[in-house]
Amino acid sequence: MQCFPSLVLALSSLLGALALLQLSLYLRVPSRYGKHEERLCRPRGRLPARCAWFLQELPSFLVPALLLAVRSPPRLEPLGCRLLCCLFCWHYFYRTFIYPFFTRGRPFPLQLLFFGTLFCIYNGFLQGYYLIYCAEYPNDWCTDIRFTSGLFLFLLGMGINIHSDLLLRQLRKPGEVTYKIPRGGLFTYVSGANYFGEIVEWFGFAIATWSLPAFAFAFFTLCCIGPRAYHHHRYYLKTFTDYPKSRKALIPFVF
Ligand code: NDX
């Protein structure tokens, strides 16, 4: 396989367009899974959350890992490029092999699982293909301010995301499906602390890679889970009369 810059441009532009489509579809109404599902107890057309998240996220890990494995000759240099590819796979290793096995979420709708899986194949291919076949970095990229500041944001965001996922999980005992007010960590300031972490993470990745595909994905993430954080916030305000009034939806002290 070789690098086709026009393919990277086309796929990144399409990802940007999907982000706008996502925003237009889900700004007013939330995507119907988790707390925003209308008929919560209907088991038909759903898969247990563990299975669904594993299947949906697997391609985001597998596709770049396969691309890396089949590249001949193997891409070993520069170090910056290898590290960036590992960061992407590292996040999706967590999301595929760790997150699903601890989730206490409700069953996930098959229809969204189908589109989510397609999305993960698409994005896994785009990010992996770009980093493994196209990206060119100078040998000292690891000391560039874009790499170091981006890596810092990525790690900070990932830490917030994983910690917030854990706090949400601890709200329920095994088998429980009720919703409670999340507390602690960044939930002290925002309703969508896990989403805030994920958005910071992918903007950090975009800065560290300084690439169009990664900026397109960070933009998609913002358009996808930004509105969802807002819908979660509204849900909490409507459901819990004692919900902390100073808490914002997504960005501490701002929004
Ligand atoms: N999967 C990303 N669009 C997607 C799923 C749906 O990873 O066709 C986006 C992702 C997909 C989407 C994906 C892409 C776009 C799709 C969409 C469906 C339609 C859409 C395909 C790929 C589409 C077009 C047309 C443009 C193509 O019972 P429960 O499940 O609610 O329990 C929850 C629990 N919890 C609580 N428990 C007790 N008390 C409370 N108050 C609770 N609040 C929540 O915590 C869950 O078990 C758990 C987390 O829930 P929630 O709702 O906070 O997070 P969730 O949305 O489930 O995300 C889980 C993690 C989170 O860390 C988030 O950052 C990350 O995954 N994520 C999620 C979505 C997208 C994404 C990351 C990204 O874009 N990077």
Side-chain angles (χ1 to χ4, degrees):
M1 214 187 288
Q2 62 188 93
C3 175
F4 295 102
S6 52
L7 178 65
V8 172
L9 180 64
L11 293 181
S12 305
S13 309
L14 183 58
L15 185 52
L18 282 178
L20 294 175
L21 176 64
Q22 177 77 19
L23 192 64
S24 65
L25 289 177
Y26 297 109
L27 191 60
R28 282 161 169 259
V29 283
S31 43
R32 300 282 179 205
Y33 68 92
K35 59 173 73 71
H36 304 294
E37 262 201 276
E38 267 151 5
R39 269 166 278 171
L40 293 171
C41 299
R42 204 180 49 171
R44 272 185 58 212
R46 278 165 185 70
L47 214 58
R50 286 181 184 188
C51 212
W53 278 92
F54 172 76
L55 290 175
Q56 176 179 253
E57 305 292 320
L58 184 62
S60 294
F61 173 78
L62 219 50
V63 173
L66 281 177
L67 286 175
L68 194 59
V70 300
R71 189 186 200 269
S72 177
R75 179 155 203 175
L76 300 173
E77 297 296 336
L79 177 64
C81 209
R82 256 189 302 161
L83 278 177
L84 290 166
C85 198
C86 289
L87 288 185
F88 187 82
C89 289
W90 183 24
H91 171 92
Y92 281 104
F93 181 85
Y94 160 73
R95 186 65 75 218
T96 307
F97 296 105
I98 300 176
Y99 176 79
F101 295 98
F102 292 101
T103 183
R104 290 174 183 167
R106 292 166 191 264
F108 196 87
L110 277 175
Q111 199 189 359
L112 296 189
L113 169 64
F114 175 74
F115 287 115
T117 308
L118 285 186
F119 177 83
C120 289
I121 295 172
Y122 182 90
N123 188 50
F125 175 79
L126 173 59
Q127 307 301 329
Y129 176 73
Y130 175 78
L131 283 174
I132 296 160
Y133 291 92
C134 301
E136 298 286 346
Y137 294 105
N139 283 332
D140 60 355
W141 183 248
C142 290
T143 54
D144 190 288
I145 182 75
R146 287 166 289 183
F147 181 86
T148 49
S149 59
L151 179 63
F152 171 76
L153 285 177
F154 178 89
L155 295 175
L156 178 73
M158 192 172 188
I160 295 172
N161 179 255
I162 292 176
H163 181 236
S164 310
D165 279 346
L166 175 75
L167 292 175
L168 285 175
R169 190 158 61 237
Q170 287 173 342
L171 290 173
R172 287 178 179 164
K173 296 188 185 76
E176 231 181 18
V177 285
T178 50
Y179 291 102
K180 297 169 191 163
I181 301 179
R183 296 189 194 274
L186 228 73
F187 283 112
T188 311
Y189 307 102
V190 287
S191 301
N194 52 341
Y195 295 149
F196 175 76
E198 180 110 15
I199 290 167
V200 169
E201 191 179 345
W202 291 119
F203 272 98
F205 182 73
I207 294 168
T209 56
W210 208 248
S211 71
L212 186 61
F215 273 106
F217 178 47
F219 180 58
F220 180 89
T221 299
L222 178 67
C223 295
C224 180
I225 56 183
R228 199 166 157 81
Y230 167 72
H231 290 296
H232 277 16
H233 188 63
R234 283 185 44 168
Y235 169 91
Y236 287 133
L237 288 173
K238 218 167 60 183
T239 311
F240 302 105
T241 47
D242 57 339
Y243 196 70
K245 295 284 175 287
S246 61
R247 207 178 279 190
K248 302 287 181 191
L250 181 66
I251 304 169
F253 311 112
V254 181
F255 167 74

